[in-house]
Amino acid sequence: GAVVSQHPSWVICKSGTSVKIECRSLDFQATTMFWYRQFPKQSLMLMATSNEGSKATYEQGVEKDKFLINHASLTLSTLTVTSAHPEDSSFYICSARKTGAKQETQYFGPGTRLLVL
Amino acid sequence: LAKTTQPISMDSYEGQEVNITCSHNNIATNDYITWYQQFPSQGPRFIIQGYKTKVTNEVASLFIPADRKSSTLSLPRVSLSDTAVYYCLVGLIYGGSQGNLIFGKGTKLSVKP
């Protein structure tokens, strides 16, 4: 199998606070994980690529100081939304890349719903 | 990264076979084709992945012509629970460790009783 978990599944916070979201690959090691954001009725937008032991690579337009990514182990990546504001309210989804003998596949977590009041 | 084009929506009835075609004219030699299914408020679920010809698993079949500029996801005998958005993606590097997935708009499949 290839299971990816996220915690928490949903979070409500006040504007100005920071929120940390965890992404774990439960039954495989993932040197690379990805963070996406999805607004209602829209597709997933890649925010950043998280590599174990190194700095994340952010997509154009994503503020790296606002969305802090840490990938400290082969099974865990965290996304911290710093000083969250209502416009950061969204569905955040992570994925982990599983490497096989010939190909690679990304497996996605269940997502985290963030609501900033 | 190769862009993909899919129909925005499709309707079907229970028990029918559904074929969703995706165009990816500028697919690279090392790109794989991957399909995901997403239900509302859930993360995408891996359905099937292929490089060329035909791939079949317990859920679906994937048909890829020789030029690889398109692919067709085939869902046999759909049920109401197959109502979801289906995404076609290309971009994983064959045998490598680079590349990420860029999501297009997907195809919203509605299965009716």
Side-chain angles (χ1 to χ4, degrees):
Chain A
V3 181
V4 177
S5 70
Q6 280 185 242
H7 178 79
S9 56
W10 59 270
V11 58
I12 302 173
C13 69
K14 292 182 179 180
S15 184
T17 60
S18 295
V19 175
K20 178 185 284 188
I21 303 171
E22 293 185 349
C23 177
R24 294 181 185 273
S25 56
L26 299 184
D27 52 1
F28 66 98
Q29 293 184 331
T31 56
T32 305
M33 292 183 174
F34 304 89
W35 288 95
Y36 294 81
R37 181 167 51 181
Q38 186 174 34
F39 293 106
K41 298 189 184 301
Q42 294 188 22
S43 186
L44 284 77
M45 293 189 333
L46 179 66
M47 298 175 66
T49 301
S50 169
N51 295 299
E52 188 266 337
S54 64
K55 291 184 178 181
T57 303
Y58 291 82
E59 294 299 301
Q60 190 173 9
V62 178
E63 300 176 56
K64 62 179 181 180
D65 294 331
K66 180 168 185 61
F67 299 99
L68 300 179
I69 292 173
N70 183 278
H71 194 156
S73 78
L74 289 173
T75 59
L76 173 64
S77 175
T78 61
L79 168 69
T80 301
V81 183
T82 62
S83 186
H85 288 98
E87 58 266 29
D88 298 323
S89 298
S90 188
F91 191 51
Y92 292 86
I93 309 170
C94 74
S95 70
R97 172 184 285 150
K98 181 177 182 181
T99 302
K102 290 186 178 180
Q103 64 199 62
E104 300 173 356
T105 305
Q106 282 189 31
Y107 293 92
F108 288 81
T112 297
R113 177 75 61 189
L114 171 63
L115 177 61
V116 184
L117 302 176
Chain B
L1 294 171
K3 285 188 176 179
T4 60
T5 303
Q6 304 173 234
I8 295 296
S9 64
M10 292 182 69
D11 291 333
S12 181
Y13 290 93
E14 280 190 294
Q16 289 186 333
E17 177 185 78
V18 171
N19 296 308
I20 306 175
T21 297
C22 177
S23 297
H24 28 80
N25 291 319
N26 59 340
I27 187 171
T29 301
N30 292 341
D31 283 344
Y32 264 79
I33 300 159
T34 311
W35 285 79
Y36 289 87
Q37 174 193 56
Q38 187 183 29
F39 297 111
S41 297
Q42 294 186 29
R45 182 175 77 100
F46 173 85
I47 301 175
I48 198 166
Q49 184 180 69
Y51 184 78
K52 60 181 179 180
T53 62
K54 177 183 175 182
V55 179
T56 298
N57 61 23
E58 63 277 6
V59 177
S61 294
L62 178 59
F63 299 93
I64 306 169
D67 65 6
R68 301 198 332 118
K69 293 184 182 298
S70 68
S71 59
T72 299
L73 172 72
S74 181
L75 304 173
R77 296 186 299 279
V78 295
S79 63
L80 296 177
S81 62
D82 292 318
T83 294
V85 177
Y86 292 82
Y87 294 98
C88 157
L89 296 103
V90 297
L92 292 171
I93 302 296
Y94 175 91
S97 60
Q98 300 180 16
N100 52 35
L101 296 178
I102 302 298
F103 280 78
K105 297 184 185 302
T107 297
K108 182 175 173 55
L109 173 65
S110 298
V111 180
K112 302 174 183 178

